[in-house]
Amino acid sequence: MSEARKIHKAVIPAAGKGTRLMPLTKAIAKEMLPLGRKPVLEIIVDELKSTGITDILFVISEDKASIPAYFKDYPGLSIDWTVQKEQTGLAAAILCSEDYVKDEPFLVALGDALITPLDPPHATTRVLDCYSRTDAECVVIVQSTPKEESFRYGMVRPARWDGQYFEIDLLIEKPSPEECPGEYSIAGRYAFDPSIFDCIRKTLPGAGGELQITDSIRLMIDNGRPVWGVPLLGEETRRDIGTFPVYYEAFVLLSRDDPDFDEAKQPGQTHKYNFR
Ligand code: G1P
């Protein structure tokens, strides 16, 4: 792999308000909600570590001091953080990382997007693989999604397949089912060339009045730069921990693998669950 296309740094935007998880998110940052024994964010940090990432930057809001406090002296990784003063959209959050990533390519993992299974090689490994093998300036993980749900996501159109990856020629953030350009939604992991920062600076407010990274990536394509998609495969699933039903589902999914969840697995364990 060419050294110039090897990615060492990752940025995790974690500044969102978590409005749909109120009142819980008044007590605890959305990204610090437990999934079994660990906060969501630690599961994502461990995923990135398993792919070979060595340096991570959290982009947080002023009220999320619990995040740097929790990750102080985290073993095996260099972790830093920056505060985003105003939450004007995902593209604006990513722009806050410009001084940190400098002129290196970097990964972005959304701080509330869980992709299972967690075991290595994690799906995110394929984003790094696709970035290193192609001349892409951006690679996104995508998941096949019904058109009726397109209004929740950034949706992409595959133009040309090469093995298990495809080049993208159109992206639209939160389209209606009628405008939806294809069956794949963006699923919370991105690799970027630093040229994304100029595209972000040229991005105008889009869906929801926010600066959308999907629109910045579209500017890359308009500039003739290649953008690729990496589909989730088999059982791989993305869950955005942004609503109670998804949070409950993810909590049970990850707790089920915990040796203390199933009392039958614990000799001498006297506790019996009673969910009635
Ligand atoms: C963000 C992105 C969107 C992507 C989604 C997936 O949306 O803007 O393109 O599909 O994450 O996690 P949000 O969930 O912040 O509305």
Side-chain angles (χ1 to χ4, degrees), residues 20 30 90 110 112-113 152-155 172-174 185-190 210 212-214 238-240:
R20 288 169 299 165
K30 174 169 71 159
L90 183 53
L110 302 189
D112 59 355
R152 297 183 206 280
Y153 303 112
M155 302 296 295
I172 303 181
E173 182 65 21
K174 300 191 173 53
S185 66
I186 301 173
R189 301 290 181 276
Y190 311 72
E210 296 192 347
Q212 299 288 354
I213 196 65
T214 305
R238 168 270 316 277
R239 287 183 181 80
D240 290 342

Side-chain angles (χ1 to χ4, degrees), residues 55-159:
D55 296 71
I56 294 180
L57 179 78
F58 299 128
V59 180
I60 59 172
S61 51
E62 269 164 348
D63 54 349
K64 292 196 184 176
S66 61
I67 293 179
Y70 184 88
F71 286 95
K72 193 167 176 284
D73 302 325
Y74 200 73
L77 285 170
S78 166
I79 294 191
D80 214 332
W81 73 93
T82 189
V83 173
Q84 184 188 11
K85 293 262 154 52
E86 270 182 277
Q87 279 67 62
T88 49
L90 183 53
I94 294 172
L95 189 59
C96 293
S97 70
E98 188 172 20
D99 289 346
Y100 178 81
V101 302
K102 301 197 177 72
D103 53 1
E104 285 180 46
F106 62 104
L107 205 66
V108 168
L110 302 189
D112 59 355
L114 180 77
I115 297 178
T116 53
L118 302 175
D119 316 313
H122 191 270
T124 298
T125 309
R126 299 200 300 281
V127 174
L128 301 173
D129 177 63
C130 178
Y131 189 83
S132 71
R133 281 163 182 256
T134 61
D135 58 352
E137 292 208 352
C138 167
V139 175
V140 293
I141 273 201
V142 295
Q143 172 169 276
S144 183
T145 300
K147 279 200 171 175
E148 303 73 62
E149 291 177 31
S150 62
F151 67 94
R152 297 183 206 280
Y153 303 112
M155 302 296 295
V156 313
R157 180 166 76 192

Side-chain angles (χ1 to χ4, degrees), residues 36 249-262 265:
E249 182 184 64
F251 189 95
V252 173
L253 180 77
L254 296 202
S255 306
R256 244 181 17 194
D257 294 335
D258 190 296
D260 275 343
F261 186 80
D262 184 354
K265 287 184 195 156

